Amino acid sequence: MVDFGSLLRKPAGQAPKPVALDAGNYPGRIKSFEPGNQNKNKTPYIRFHVVLTDWPEGAEPQQNDKGEVVDLSKRQFRRDFYLTDESLARLDDFLSSLGIEMADRSYEECLPDTLGQEVLVEITQYMREDGTVGDQVNRLSGLGA
């Protein structure tokens, strides 16, 4: 069992930021999905949680500040697909790239078919407010797309 007491007694504000991964196309797997809405405009979305399963083809595994190979399985990423009339085509394209049959089915029926699917995760970098570099998912698609 996790000892939350000892975890929460660690000094706050001193946790090191994760090493930014090199930009590239990483193989991954859809771990889960959840509905939500963007706080500012209350725009509804479906958020897919993705775990990376390997390094990009031909890339060497990266090391953290301690010289250890970065454990990709512990890095979680997400990609949101908005559920507005103007944006649903992107979700359709994503579902299609996974080979999910959508004919005569609702999104509610199709979304569970995404769980466990192998995906290609395009990781890009961005500049955080503190000047350090972070990772984000730019594109998510089925491996065959």
Side-chain angles (χ1 to χ4, degrees):
M1 182 167 199
V2 176
D3 180 5
F4 285 102
S6 67
L7 292 173
L8 296 175
R9 282 190 288 276
K10 290 182 178 182
Q14 299 176 15
K17 298 229 185 293
V19 173
L21 298 176
D22 290 336
N25 294 319
Y26 291 73
R29 187 177 71 262
I30 299 204
K31 186 175 178 183
S32 64
F33 67 88
E34 64 182 347
N37 61 46
Q38 184 186 38
N39 291 337
K40 185 176 180 182
N41 298 326
K42 302 292 184 202
T43 306
Y45 61 80
I46 291 295
R47 174 170 288 165
F48 291 95
H49 296 274
V50 180
V51 62
L52 303 180
T53 56
D54 206 353
W55 297 94
E57 190 173 316
E60 292 292 322
Q62 284 180 245
Q63 296 182 351
N64 62 21
D65 295 338
K66 298 178 184 176
E68 304 164 333
V69 172
V70 173
D71 185 353
L72 292 177
S73 69
K74 293 183 179 177
R75 302 290 292 270
Q76 293 192 33
F77 293 90
R78 65 180 192 227
R79 179 70 164 110
D80 297 344
F81 287 89
Y82 291 101
L83 301 177
T84 62
D85 290 339
E86 300 83 26
S87 300
L88 280 173
R90 291 184 189 107
L91 180 56
D92 288 344
D93 290 344
F94 174 60
L95 295 173
S96 180
S97 78
L98 293 172
I100 294 174
E101 182 59 45
M102 293 178 280
D104 300 319
R105 297 176 73 196
S106 67
Y107 291 109
E108 186 176 49
E109 294 170 303
C110 293
L111 289 173
D113 293 347
T114 64
L115 297 175
Q117 289 270 4
E118 301 282 321
V119 291
L120 192 61
V121 184
E122 181 185 1
I123 299 292
T124 58
Q125 296 178 339
Y126 70 96
M127 188 67 66
R128 295 184 184 115
E129 288 180 17
D130 66 2
T132 60
V133 177
D135 304 313
Q136 64 186 9
V137 175
N138 187 48
R139 185 168 181 265
L140 187 63
S141 62
L143 279 180

